[in-house]
């Protein structure tokens, strides 16, 4: 997960250098273990596992940006989504959100999904 964030910051710095962002990147990288020499490309989605009172939560995080936008404000907009990677995580998140409906395909309850 940490590499996903630092690689995104590195790409942002390549487009728009900023000393404060460089300092943040250096600090964040100091918290990460070194990459093994045979490290593969991270790709567009990164798995994230979090411990919680409800058990382990498995998420997939992805960053989206509008690189070809002609509007400066839109070009600087970056969206990060955290999506449940399994049914159990989806159930925990839905319960914490206050929605007791089940995932699509779970025939025990309403099969609608927001």
């Amino acid at each position: 997960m940490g590499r996903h964030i630092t690689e995104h910051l590195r790409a942002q710095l390549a487009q728009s250098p900023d000393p404060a962002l460089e300092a943040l990147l250096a600090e964040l990288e100091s918290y990460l273990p070194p990459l093994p020499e045979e490290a593969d490309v991270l790709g567009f989605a990164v798995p994230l596992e979090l411990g919680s009172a409800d058990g382990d939560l498995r998420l997939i995080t992805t960053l989206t940006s509008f690189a070809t936008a002609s509007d400066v404000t839109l070009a600087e907009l970056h969206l990060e989504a955290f999506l449940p990677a399994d049914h159990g995580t989806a159930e925990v998140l839905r319960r914490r959100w206050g929605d007791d409906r089940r995932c699509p395909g779970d025939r025990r309850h309403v099969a609608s999904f927001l």
Side-chain angles (χ1 to χ4, degrees):
M1 174 65 185
R3 295 276 176 223
H4 176 63
I5 293 169
T6 57
E7 289 304 314
H8 174 72
L9 287 176
R10 191 179 314 290
Q12 190 174 349
L13 279 167
Q15 292 179 352
S16 179
D18 178 352
L21 198 54
E22 286 178 15
L24 175 62
L25 176 61
E27 180 181 348
L28 291 175
E29 286 182 330
S30 73
Y31 300 132
L32 299 174
L35 274 175
E37 290 188 27
E38 67 276 352
D40 206 354
V41 177
L42 292 175
F44 68 92
V46 177
L48 171 65
E49 290 191 29
L50 300 171
S52 78
D54 293 314
D56 290 339
L57 301 178
R58 291 171 185 83
L59 303 163
I60 295 174
T61 178
T62 184
L63 277 169
T64 304
S65 62
F66 300 91
T68 59
S70 58
D71 182 292
V72 173
T73 304
L74 188 57
E76 293 180 359
L77 180 64
H78 299 276
L79 305 173
E80 185 163 14
F82 293 89
L83 308 170
D86 60 26
H87 185 75
T89 298
E91 290 296 324
V92 169
L93 295 177
R94 190 169 280 108
R95 188 172 55 250
R96 285 188 173 198
W97 184 42
D99 183 355
D100 63 354
R101 291 175 289 179
R102 304 293 181 193
C103 288
D106 186 343
R107 299 170 205 260
R108 296 175 293 170
H109 294 280
V110 178
S112 63
F113 183 73
L114 293 177

